[in-house]
Amino acid sequence: MNRPIHFEIHAANPERAMAFYSGLLDWKFTKWDSPMPYWLIQTGDPNCRGIDGGLMGRMGPERVEMQPTNSWLCTVDVVDVVTAVAKAVELGGTVAVPKMPITGVGWLAYVKDTEGNIFGLMENDPAAK
């Protein structure tokens, strides 16, 4: 099997996006020495389950509202999905899909960051229905 090993966030305003994800998920950003502005994202303890990623300036047009997603969607493990969604909104994000149960797995919500990128927030709860 082939597993994802890296993700990438594209942002019209990288500094604003870094502030959003640092505030919401405590992610750490480190400028990478490359010809193009690029930041490495540390999402947590390297000895724990998960992957790290990168952030760069958006190189194409912004998504048009109601256009279908044409990329991979990442979901982040959180302790409390309601609290995480509220914090995302407080930091300038918006709710894309409200909290919903994924039977036997947990609670899932989708939010948009300050750059219009959609991602999932998942609270583990095997009793969810």
Side-chain angles (χ1 to χ4, degrees), residues 64-81:
V64 176
E65 202 58 37
M66 300 305 293
Q67 173 185 351
T69 300
N70 59 356
S71 61
W72 285 21
L73 186 83
C74 291
T75 299
V76 180
D77 181 38
V78 296
V79 173
D80 180 341
V81 75

Side-chain angles (χ1 to χ4, degrees), residues 102-129:
I102 305 299
T103 303
V105 177
W107 299 95
L108 175 66
Y110 291 107
V111 297
K112 288 184 182 180
D113 68 10
T114 54
E115 311 306 302
N117 298 308
I118 190 170
F119 64 98
L121 296 167
M122 171 67 81
E123 174 186 338
N124 181 40
D125 181 2
K129 17 179 152 172

Side-chain angles (χ1 to χ4, degrees), residues 76-92:
V76 180
D77 181 38
V78 296
V79 173
D80 180 341
V81 75
V82 171
T83 301
V85 168
K87 186 155 191 175
V89 170
E90 175 187 316
L91 291 165

